């Protein structure tokens, strides 16, 4: 199992110049190798493989200007870019995508013609090391004062994962004027130990509804506060775009920082959501989590002014990825399943339900229920036996985002059949992270 962690590098002026120089050499090798690939492609010949690229470029000055672990990784990334291009080209020919793909481009600014110097890929831990507060990188031969010299840069961050370190990418963020190192680590997979099952239904207005086998109350993660925060930063972005348009500009460093900030705040909430869910499942001895995959759900939605909520704010693929990462680290298997039809029938009795609005379903036998909790129980395929009548409907508790963690709203426990059931619900543990 591979995990990536990011640390911020704190280079001095001299170290910045060295990183920029190595990044420029990376772009020079990319462009030289990409020229060979593009010429063959446009002539109708076969594009070189990774091994052939290494043989062709090995004796060139662009290749020899870099350490071998960096030069080889550049060629590997270039070949991966061409492989992705051919896959997209095949999808375009089959009519599965509408935009015609373009071959990998050169790493240079089309306006100024200058090469980019913001990216340094490293093949393996032979060429870099993390020791205490220092990040060490192998230097090109002509930059070493003595054999074995390395560039040592202070870094800021926490190395959370223990295991075998593999590839590394050093990136320069122009909007923030900062350097970052993204390090991949292979960690040991935890064996599945839990015996229970759980299911989760993902949504936009409500981030998710979670139900657990044997636990009579569902957990709803309300995205109301998160959506308000997203809208605030969207308004800030729109105001700045309007100001830039009045000056004849399309973008600026400040605008890029606002976009990054909005995305980072959303991702922070989704990661915290995934960790909270994983901790709850671990506490209840869950070994399998079924995630309802909303296939083609967006294509059926027409919300007008709320389209931004469905098409920009609702990042369900990212949420699923974060859930997998958090659960697999705790030995919980995540299984995406089709959720088609899960909102059309009552999870308690199986009768067809009415849906006057997206958050509510009405069963003729059990009355008004939360639509997402009902769908989650249908995904799981099991429902607690509450008896008959409208007082035997589903129960749930709502968690809200406070910009730091997901906390339960104590007054949200709804439709619990009896006081005895409340005592059973008390066993529901929602840890504060």
């Amino acid at each position: 199992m591979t995990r990536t962690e990011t640390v911020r590098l704190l280079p001095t002026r001299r170290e910045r110049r060295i990183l920029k120089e190595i990044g420029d050499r990376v772009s020079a090798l990319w462009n030289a190798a990409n020229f060979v690939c593009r010429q063959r492609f446009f002539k109708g010949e076969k594009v070189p493989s990774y091994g052939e690229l290494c043989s062709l470029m090995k004796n060139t000055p662009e290749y020899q200007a870099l350490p071998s672990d960096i030069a080889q990784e550049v060629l590997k990334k270039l070949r991966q870019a061409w492989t992705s291009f051919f896959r997209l080209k095949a999808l375009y020919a089959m009519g599965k995508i509408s935009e015609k793909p373009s071959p990998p481009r050169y790493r240079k600014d089309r306006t100024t013609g200058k090469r980019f110097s913001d990216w340094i890929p490293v093949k393996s831990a032979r060429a870099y090391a993390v020791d205490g507060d220092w990040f060490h990188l192998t230097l090109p031969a002509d930059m070493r004062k003595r054999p074995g010299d390395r560039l040592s840069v202070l870094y800021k961050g926490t190395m959370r994962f223990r295991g075998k370190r593999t590839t590394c990418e050093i990136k320069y963020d122009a909007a923030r004027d900062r350097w970052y190192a993204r390090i991949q680590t292979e960690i040991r997979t935890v064996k599945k130990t839990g015996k229970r099952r759980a299911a989760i239904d993902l949504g936009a207005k409500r981030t998710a509804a979670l139900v657990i086998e044997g636990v009579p109350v569902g957990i709803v993660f309300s995205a109301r506060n998160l959506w308000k925060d997203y809208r605030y930063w969207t308004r800030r972005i729109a105001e700045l775009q309007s100001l830039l348009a009045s000056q004849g500009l399309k973008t600026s460093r400040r605008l890029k920082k606002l976009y990054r900030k909005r995305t980072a705040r959303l991702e922070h909430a989704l990661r915290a959501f995934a960790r909270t869910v994983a901790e709850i499942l671990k506490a209840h001895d869950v070994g399998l989590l079924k995630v309802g995959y909303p296939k083609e759900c967006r294509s059926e939605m027409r919300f007008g002014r709320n389209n931004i909520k469905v098409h920009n704010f609702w990042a369900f693929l990212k949420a699923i990825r974060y859930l997998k990462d958090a659960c697999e680290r705790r030995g919980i298997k995540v299984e995406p399943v089709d959720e088609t039809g899960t909102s059309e029938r009552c999870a308690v009795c199986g009768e067809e339900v009415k849906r006057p609005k997206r958050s509510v379903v009405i069963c003729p036998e059990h009355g008004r229920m939360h639509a997402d909790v009902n769908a989650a129980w249908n995904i799981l395929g099991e429902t607690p036996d509450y008896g008959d009548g409208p007082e035997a409907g589903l129960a749930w508790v709502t968690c809200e985002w406070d910009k730091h963690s997901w906390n339960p709203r104590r007054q949200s426990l709804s439709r619990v059949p009896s006081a005895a059931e409340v005592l059973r619900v008390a066993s529901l543990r929602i840890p504060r992270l």
Side-chain angles (χ1 to χ4, degrees), residues 70-364:
I70 296 179
Q72 290 173 14
E73 188 67 10
V74 172
L75 299 180
K76 181 180 177 182
K77 295 290 185 183
L78 176 62
R79 180 57 214 185
Q80 289 175 350
W82 276 96
T83 302
S84 298
F85 163 68
F86 289 130
R87 288 176 180 171
L88 290 173
K89 188 181 176 185
L91 292 174
Y92 178 76
M94 292 186 289
K96 293 186 177 181
I97 58 175
S98 57
E99 187 175 350
K100 185 177 181 180
S102 300
R105 296 179 177 178
Y106 296 109
R107 286 188 52 79
K108 67 177 183 180
D109 191 324
R110 291 190 171 188
T111 305
T112 62
K114 293 183 179 179
R115 291 193 295 259
F116 297 132
S117 56
D118 58 353
W119 175 60
I120 305 172
V122 188
K123 181 180 180 180
S124 70
R126 293 191 304 266
Y128 75 92
V130 181
D131 180 18
D133 295 330
W134 295 90
F135 178 86
H136 307 280
L137 178 68
T138 297
L139 288 169
D142 61 325
M143 291 186 179
R144 303 173 195 163
K145 294 181 179 179
R146 296 181 300 274
D149 266 0
R150 286 188 166 193
L151 176 66
S152 298
V153 183
L154 278 170
Y155 78 87
K156 182 179 180 180
T158 303
M159 304 296 292
R160 297 174 297 158
F161 303 121
R162 296 184 180 273
K164 180 182 177 182
R165 294 196 178 102
T166 55
T167 61
C168 170
E169 285 193 6
I170 302 172
K171 292 277 291 181
Y172 174 69
D173 189 334
R176 294 179 176 143
D177 191 26
R178 295 175 180 176
W179 285 90
Y180 295 92
R182 295 182 174 89
I183 302 168
Q184 285 193 350
T185 306
E186 289 184 359
I187 62 177
R188 188 177 62 181
T189 304
V190 179
K191 293 184 179 180
K192 178 182 173 182
T193 57
K195 299 178 181 179
R196 289 183 175 180
R197 298 177 304 129
I200 200 164
D201 179 71
L202 299 175
K205 191 173 181 180
R206 286 150 297 279
T207 302
L210 172 68
V211 296
I212 303 171
E213 183 181 10
V215 178
V217 177
I219 307 171
V220 177
F221 293 86
S222 173
R224 178 182 297 177
N225 294 337
L226 184 57
W227 170 235
K228 287 180 180 179
D229 185 76
Y230 190 88
R231 281 193 305 172
Y232 168 77
W233 291 104
T234 300
R235 287 195 299 270
R236 290 276 303 272
I237 290 170
E239 290 169 0
L240 184 55
Q241 285 177 329
S242 178
L243 179 61
L244 291 173
S246 67
Q247 300 173 358
L249 301 174
K250 291 185 177 180
T251 186
S252 69
R253 181 180 169 187
R254 184 182 169 194
L255 182 63
K256 291 178 181 178
K257 290 177 72 174
L258 285 178
Y259 271 113
R260 300 277 178 86
K261 195 163 192 173
R262 185 181 69 174
T263 302
R265 292 173 75 91
L266 177 60
E267 290 182 348
H268 169 52
L270 292 178
R271 288 184 185 276
F273 154 73
R275 288 196 303 271
T276 303
V277 169
E279 288 295 333
I280 293 172
L281 299 182
K282 187 69 176 178
H284 287 84
D285 194 33
V286 173
L288 174 64
L289 173 64
K290 294 184 177 182
V291 180
Y293 184 82
K295 184 178 180 182
E296 297 181 357
C297 190
R298 284 190 174 119
S299 61
E300 302 173 0
M301 294 184 180
R302 296 292 183 271
F303 284 132
R305 59 181 293 184
N306 285 330
N307 266 347
I308 186 174
K309 179 186 290 184
V310 178
H311 296 284
N312 299 88
F313 174 74
W314 187 19
F316 61 85
L317 287 177
K318 192 174 289 185
I320 292 175
R321 186 170 75 248
Y322 293 162
L323 276 173
K324 283 185 176 180
D325 289 345
C327 291
E328 287 176 359
R329 288 171 57 191
R330 293 163 177 83
I332 302 169
K333 182 181 178 182
V334 176
E335 179 184 332
V337 297
D338 188 9
E339 64 170 13
T340 304
T342 54
S343 299
E344 298 176 358
R345 65 184 187 278
C346 176
V348 181
C349 62
E351 292 291 329
E352 185 177 350
V353 296
K354 296 180 181 180
R355 196 169 185 178
K357 56 182 182 178
R358 295 201 65 84
S359 61
V360 174
V361 292
I362 299 176
C363 172

